[in-house]
Amino acid sequence: MATNRSTTTRRTLHYYWQVTRKHFGLFAALMASTFLFVALLSYGNPCVMSLVVDRVSAGSVESDRVFAVYGPYIVALIAINVLGQAASKLQDYTMYKLEIAAAYDLATMSFDALCNQSMSFHSNRFGGTLVSQTSKFMSAYQLLLETITFPFLPVICSVIFTCAILAPRVPVYVAILMALLVAYACVSYYMYKRILSLNEKAASAQNQLSGELSDSVANILAVKTSGREDYERALFDQANRQVVERDSKRMWASLARGIITACITVVIMSVVAVFIAGGNAWYGISAGTLVMMFTYTYTVTNQFNFINNGLQRFNRAFGDASGMTQTLDEPRLVADLPGAPDMVVRDGAIDFEGIGFHYTDGNAKTTVFEDFNLHIPAGQRVGLVGLSGAGKTTLTKLLLRLSDIQDGRILIDGQNIAECTQQSLRRSIAYVPQEALLFHRSIAENIAYGRPDATMEQIREAAAQANALDFIENLPDGFDTITGERGVKLSGGQRQRVAIARALLADCPVLVLDEATSALDSESEALVQDALSKLMRGRTCIVVAHRLSTVASLDRIVVLDHGKITEDGPHADLVAANGEYANLWNRQTGAYLK
C-alpha cells in the first residue's frame, strides 16, 4: 500500500511538472521573486537595524549629525523595502498567471484522458466521481504551488540566510539551532508520511460521496417514482459518515503532529533566550548581533511552524489529486496506432473476419464472439435479432471501436478500423441508440452536433425529414429551446426524432440503429419509423431490434445466438424456414393478435 501511495505521489508530480515546464519562465520568476522578497524584508531589514543598534551602542550622536551618520542606514532601509515590496507584487503576479495557465492545461489534460477512454472504463465509474476528481486535480495543483511558494521556499531561504549571516559571528549557536531544526524537520516528515495515507482515504471517501450524490440526482425520477428517497438518503448518509470518520482520523493525526513540533519550537526559543541573556557576557556578542539572533531565530522558527500546515496541505493536495492521477495512468483499452491515417468511407461495405472478443468482469472471463464472420455489402440494410445476450449490441460497439477485438479484423471498404483513427471511423457512422443522447444545449445545437458548420436551413430540413419540425416550431423558443440534461425536457419520441435529425444532417455512409424504437409509444413509433426509413435510404444499415416488426422490411436479417449466426436471410425466407426466427415472429405476432 505504501509503495502504491508513493508511486501515485510521484506520478502526480510527473503530471504537474509536465504542466509547469510549459510555463517555466513564470515558475522561475515566482521562485526568484519569493527568494528576493524573503531576503529583503525578513533578513535585510533586521540586518540593517542591527547595524543601527551597534552604532547607537557605540555612543550618542549630535543632533546636527544624525543624517550624516545614519543617512546610509535610512537609504538602505528604504531601498530594501521598495525592492522587497516590488518583489512581493511580482510574486503575486507570477503566481496568478501560473495558476491560470496551469488550470487550463490540467483541465485539458483531464478532459482528453476521459474522452479518449473506452466505454468499459466509463461503465465502471460514476460520472460524478470523475467530475469531482477533475476538479480536485486542478485545485490540488494550486494548493501545491501555493504551499511550495509560501511555507516551504521561505523556510529554505530562512535556513540559508540565518546560517550565512550568523555562522561567522556565533558558530556554536548556529550549530545548535540547525541541529534542533533538523530534528524538527525529521519529525514533521515522519508524521507527514503517516498522515498521507489518511488523506488519500479521506479524498476517496469524498469522491464516493460525490458519486452517490451524482447517481441519486441523475436518477431522481426513478427515486421519486419508486418512493426510495429514504433508501437513497441512507446510502448518502453512509458515505457521508465515512467522510466524517476519515476526516476525523486525519484531524487527530494532524493535531498530534502539531503538538510534538510545538514542543520542539519551545526548546528552540529556550535556547535562544539563554544565548541572548548570556551572549555578551560569555562570548562578547554585540547588541546588534543579539538583536539579529533573536529576530532571525524567531523568523526561522515561525517559518518552521508553517511546515505543519504546509505538510498537511501537501497531504491534502496529493490525496485530492490521487484519483485523477490514477485515471491518467489508466491504460487506454482502445487507442489509435501511432501515425494512424483517417478512414475514408465512400460505399460502406462492412466485413467482420474471424472476430474473437471477450470481456473480463473481475476475474470472470466471458467470451462473446469466437471466429465470427459476417459480410454486409455496401448499401444493404441488415437487421440483427436474437435473445438478450446474443451479442447484437456488442457487435455494433465493436464496429464503432468502443471496445477492441482480441482476434480477427473488422473492415469498412477494405480498411481495417483498428489501423485508422477512431474519430474518422465514428464520423463515418451515424449511431442512433435506444435512448437518444442529447446535450443540455439548444435543439439546433443538438441536431448540428455531427455537422457543426451546418446552416439553419440545413438544420430545419433535417428536422423536417425526421418528422421533428412541427413539434420544434410549437415550442416557445423553437430551435433555441434548451433540451435539459440528457434531453429531459422532451418526450422520448421527440428526443429520438432530434437524434434522427442529427444523423440525417451528418449524412454518414454507414448507419447503426440500436433498439431505436423499442421504448416508444405507438404514435411516436410511427413517426420515428417513417423518419428512420428516410434515414436508411442509400446507406449501409445495421439495425438491432427485439421488436421484429422493426426489421421485417429490411433487405436481410441475421439471427444471433451466443455470438454465432444461426440464420441469415430475408424476412419471408426466414419465416418460411420455420426456425428460430419464425418462432420469435409467431410469438410476437401472436401476442399482438390476442
Side-chain angles (χ1 to χ4, degrees):
M1 180 66 72
T3 302
N4 290 338
R5 288 196 300 270
S6 177
T7 301
T8 302
T9 299
R10 286 198 302 271
R11 294 299 297 164
T12 299
L13 289 172
H14 165 74
Y15 290 119
Y16 284 169
W17 175 243
Q18 280 186 329
V19 169
T20 305
R21 189 171 54 189
K22 290 178 61 178
H23 311 284
F24 188 75
L26 285 172
F27 180 73
L30 175 61
M31 296 299 104
S33 60
T34 303
F35 188 87
L36 192 60
F37 167 71
V38 174
L40 291 170
L41 298 185
S42 296
Y43 285 84
N45 277 330
C47 186
V48 174
M49 286 305 300
S50 72
L51 298 176
V52 172
V53 170
D54 282 341
R55 182 62 187 84
V56 170
S57 301
S60 60
V61 176
E62 296 177 3
S63 60
D64 59 345
R65 298 191 68 248
V66 168
F67 286 105
V69 174
Y70 293 106
Y73 303 126
I74 296 172
V75 171
L77 284 172
I78 293 173
I80 285 171
N81 281 275
V82 168
L83 292 174
Q85 292 301 329
S88 172
K89 299 303 163 271
L90 178 62
Q91 181 192 57
D92 293 341
Y93 170 77
T94 52
M95 171 73 78
Y96 287 138
K97 287 287 290 183
L98 183 55
E99 286 179 348
I100 292 170
Y104 174 86
D105 291 335
L106 291 169
T108 301
M109 179 190 295
S110 301
F111 182 84
D112 288 345
L114 294 176
C115 281
N116 289 313
Q117 271 293 359
S118 67
M119 288 305 298
S120 298
F121 169 89
H122 287 284
S123 298
N124 292 316
R125 288 163 175 82
F126 282 124
T129 297
L130 294 176
V131 172
S132 174
Q133 287 177 353
T134 300
S135 177
K136 288 183 177 182
F137 187 65
M138 295 166 61
S139 299
Y141 177 89
Q142 179 178 339
L143 182 60
L144 195 62
L145 184 65
E146 291 175 354
T147 304
I148 291 172
T149 304
F150 296 114
F152 284 99
L153 190 56
V155 165
I156 295 171
C157 294
S158 296
V159 172
I160 292 172
F161 295 135
T162 299
C163 289
I165 297 173
L166 292 182
R169 305 184 184 198
V170 279
V172 174
Y173 174 75
V174 171
I176 295 173
L177 178 62
M178 289 303 112
L180 290 171
L181 291 177
V182 167
Y184 187 111
C186 289
V187 169
S188 293
Y189 181 73
Y190 171 74
M191 300 196 73
Y192 158 78
K193 295 286 286 185
R194 291 184 59 189
I195 296 173
L196 182 59
S197 63
L198 297 178
N199 274 281
E200 289 183 358
K201 290 177 181 177
S204 175
Q206 286 284 358
N207 288 334
Q208 183 67 25
L209 182 67
S210 298
E212 292 289 354
L213 178 61
S214 174
D215 201 33
S216 296
V217 171
N219 296 285
I220 191 65
L221 181 60
V223 173
K224 287 185 172 296
T225 54
S226 301
R228 296 285 277 172
E229 290 91 344
D230 290 345
Y231 175 75
E232 292 299 323
R233 190 186 186 285
L235 287 179
F236 182 81
D237 187 64
Q238 182 180 357
N240 208 2
R241 288 179 183 278
Q242 184 85 302
V243 169
V244 172
E245 177 187 345
R246 293 185 179 182
D247 278 344
S248 297
K249 288 182 179 178
R250 178 169 60 180
M251 176 193 71
W252 286 113
S254 298
L255 285 174
R257 180 179 61 192
I259 292 171
I260 293 172
T261 52
C263 292
I264 298 176
T265 301
V266 171
V267 172
I268 292 173
M269 294 311 297
S270 300
V271 170
V272 74
V274 171
F275 265 86
I276 288 174
N280 181 264
W282 298 332
Y283 301 104
I285 300 173
S286 69
T289 301
L290 291 174
V291 170
M292 276 199 301
M293 287 171 60
F294 177 80
T295 304
Y296 290 173
T297 303
Y298 183 75
T299 299
V300 76
T301 303
N302 268 351
Q303 296 291 359
F304 265 76
N305 278 336
F306 291 132
I307 285 182
N308 285 328
N309 178 260
L311 288 175
Q312 185 174 347
R313 290 162 71 186
F314 264 168
N315 279 334
R316 185 179 296 275
F318 286 122
D320 287 351
S322 62
M324 181 50 65
T325 296
Q326 291 165 14
T327 296
L328 291 170
D329 281 343
E330 189 85 16
R332 293 185 183 178
L333 300 179
V334 180
D336 289 338
L337 295 174
D342 286 345
M343 174 171 283
V344 179
V345 179
R346 292 186 175 86
D347 300 322
I350 301 172
D351 289 280
F352 296 88
E353 297 183 349
I355 300 303
F357 175 73
H358 66 265
Y359 63 86
T360 303
D361 188 2
N363 295 322
K365 175 181 173 182
T366 302
T367 299
V368 183
F369 294 108
E370 189 172 358
D371 194 24
F372 178 88
N373 295 278
L374 177 64
H375 171 65
I376 302 175
Q380 190 174 71
R381 301 172 304 157
V382 177
L384 297 180
V385 302
L387 299 177
S388 296
K392 305 182 297 296
T393 296
T394 301
L395 198 63
T396 64
K397 290 182 177 179
L398 295 178
L399 177 63
L400 286 159
R401 266 198 91 191
L402 299 178
S403 295
D404 262 345
I405 56 178
Q406 285 87 29
D407 296 302
R409 60 181 187 163
I410 302 174
L411 307 176
I412 299 181
D413 284 350
Q415 304 164 85
N416 190 337
I417 66 170
E419 297 174 356
C420 300
T421 61
Q422 296 174 64
Q423 283 197 1
S424 64
L425 163 68
R426 293 164 189 159
R427 286 172 181 167
S428 302
I429 302 174
Y431 177 65
V432 182
Q434 177 178 355
E435 181 180 353
L437 307 175
L438 300 187
F439 293 90
H440 183 60
R441 301 169 191 172
S442 71
I443 290 178
E445 287 177 284
N446 272 287
I447 293 176
Y449 190 72
R451 188 177 166 188
D453 59 342
T455 64
M456 197 61 219
E457 289 74 17
Q458 292 170 326
I459 293 173
R460 287 178 60 84
E461 176 61 25
Q465 291 187 48
N467 295 329
L469 186 59
D470 288 345
F471 90 77
I472 293 174
E473 289 185 333
N474 286 329
L475 294 172
D477 296 322
F479 281 90
D480 293 326
T481 300
I482 301 300
T483 63
E485 188 175 5
R486 298 187 178 185
V488 69
K489 293 183 180 180
L490 304 180
S491 70
Q494 289 172 338
R495 288 197 298 269
Q496 205 69 316
R497 280 176 277 165
V498 169
I500 293 170
R502 176 195 296 168
L504 281 162
L505 188 60
D507 195 23
C508 300
V510 178
L511 172 66
V512 173
L513 305 176
D514 190 357
E515 299 284 357
T517 63
S518 63
L520 303 179
D521 59 76
S522 299
E523 182 179 355
S524 296
E525 182 184 6
L527 291 169
V528 170
Q529 286 281 23
D530 182 64
L532 288 175
S533 66
K534 299 173 187 174
L535 177 59
M536 287 190 281
R537 289 173 191 162
R539 294 180 172 85
T540 304
C541 302
I542 297 178
V543 182
V544 176
H546 279 105
R547 194 179 299 175
L548 300 187
S549 58
T550 305
V551 299
S553 61
L554 301 182
D555 303 322
R556 174 183 172 198
I557 298 169
V558 175
V559 182
L560 295 178
D561 183 24
H562 293 92
K564 298 184 183 300
I565 297 175
T566 57
E567 293 182 275
D568 185 350
H571 167 76
D573 292 355
L574 295 182
V575 171
N578 203 28
E580 182 181 349
Y581 179 82
N583 290 333
L584 292 172
W585 176 258
N586 292 332
R587 192 180 308 156
Q588 290 192 11
T589 54
Y592 293 137
L593 294 174
K594 289 181 180 179

